[in-house]
């Protein structure tokens, strides 16, 4: 089935360029030039993905993003001229799944859209296991032995990535790409923060460490040697 993409962008030239490029790739495309009409379109004709500009007349893009996210799990790709780390963090905190800065390359945008749509497709639930650690992809709940561990959305995605690649060193770039879906560069310690969160939860009752730091390379899920 053809994916429906909603573009909310007030620059007519960019809107026309995006509409033409996405339609050429076979997507159904809806467009809006302000936040209010974009939200109305999303409500009346739910899209499979939203491409959202931040600088919009009326309701700004961050508020649109927040309301879209409150309405459901639709993937949101922010498109903006703002390029500071704080701007990116703000957009992602509001619920965006990815972030591209203008001017952008259309082929890269299309690749990111394909990745977000793939990620949004439901897969059959399974239980991933390593040592005494398990993760149920249906309930999104982890456990060490019989001890149940509740996870935030990002903690879950990070742990799932490790469990799908046991004993394999995951680089920072790979983790950024798979979990955050964009390049945060070397400007943030967000990976270290989430690794610390996961370790605290996985080792809360004195269990052995499973996520190890490989200095200068990344992180690995393995038993203690």
């Amino acid at each position: 089935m053809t994916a429906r993409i909603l573009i909310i962008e007030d620059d007519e030239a960019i809107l026309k360029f995006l509409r033409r490029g996405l339609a050429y790739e076979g997507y159904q495309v809806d467009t809006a030039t302000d936040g209010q009409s974009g939200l109305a379109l999303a409500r009346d004709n739910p899209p499979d993905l939203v491409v959202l500009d931040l600088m919009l007349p009326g309701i700004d893009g961050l508020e649109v993003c927040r309301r879209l996210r409150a309405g459901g799990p639709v993937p949101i790709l922010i498109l903006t001229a703002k390029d500071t780390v704080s701007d990116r963090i703000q957009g992602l905190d509001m619920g965006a799944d990815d972030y591209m800065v203008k001017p952008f390359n259309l082929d890269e945008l299309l690749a990111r859209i394909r990745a977000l749509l793939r990620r949004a497709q439901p897969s059959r639930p399974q239980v991933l296991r390593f040592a005494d650690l398990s993760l149920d992809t249906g309930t999104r709940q982890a456990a060490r032995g019989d001890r149940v561990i509740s996870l935030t959305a990002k903690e879950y995605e990070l742990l799932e990535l490790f469990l799908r690649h046991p004993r394999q060193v995951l680089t920072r770039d790979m983790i950024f790409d798979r979990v955050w879906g964009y390049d945060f560069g070397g400007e943030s310690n967000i990976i270290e923060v989430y690794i610390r969160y996961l370790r605290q939860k996985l080792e809360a009752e004195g269990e052995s460490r499973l996520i190890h730091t490989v200095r200068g390379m990344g992180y690995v899920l393995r038993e203690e040697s």
Side-chain angles (χ1 to χ4, degrees), residues 90-149:
Q90 199 176 5
L92 294 157
D93 280 348
M94 284 295 179
D97 298 280
D98 203 352
Y99 199 110
M100 280 194 77
V101 176
K102 300 173 185 176
F104 57 89
N105 176 280
L106 181 61
D107 286 336
E108 183 186 357
L109 177 76
L110 291 169
R112 290 184 183 223
I113 285 172
R114 288 192 296 270
L116 287 173
L117 288 171
R118 272 198 310 273
R119 203 181 302 167
Q121 289 174 349
S123 56
R124 293 181 65 180
Q126 61 184 128
V127 179
L128 305 173
R129 300 183 189 278
F130 184 83
D132 65 342
L133 172 64
S134 63
L135 183 69
D136 188 320
T137 64
T139 62
R140 298 171 76 90
Q141 204 164 53
R144 290 290 303 260
D146 295 327
R147 181 172 70 85
V148 174
I149 303 165

Side-chain angles (χ1 to χ4, degrees), residues 133-195:
L133 172 64
S134 63
L135 183 69
D136 188 320
T137 64
T139 62
R140 298 171 76 90
Q141 204 164 53
R144 290 290 303 260
D146 295 327
R147 181 172 70 85
V148 174
I149 303 165
S150 62
L151 302 170
T152 66
K154 277 288 176 272
E155 288 167 354
Y156 168 83
E157 289 178 38
L158 184 58
L159 186 57
E160 182 186 15
L161 179 65
F162 279 114
L163 279 162
R164 291 192 185 280
H165 300 86
R167 301 187 182 89
Q168 177 183 333
V169 176
L170 305 183
T171 65
R172 287 172 56 88
D173 287 345
M174 180 184 179
I175 295 170
F176 277 135
D177 183 57
R178 299 290 183 86
V179 177
W180 279 270
Y182 64 98
D183 181 16
F184 225 127
E187 307 157 283
S188 171
N189 66 340
I190 196 165
I191 289 180
E192 288 77 7
V193 169
Y194 275 88
I195 292 289

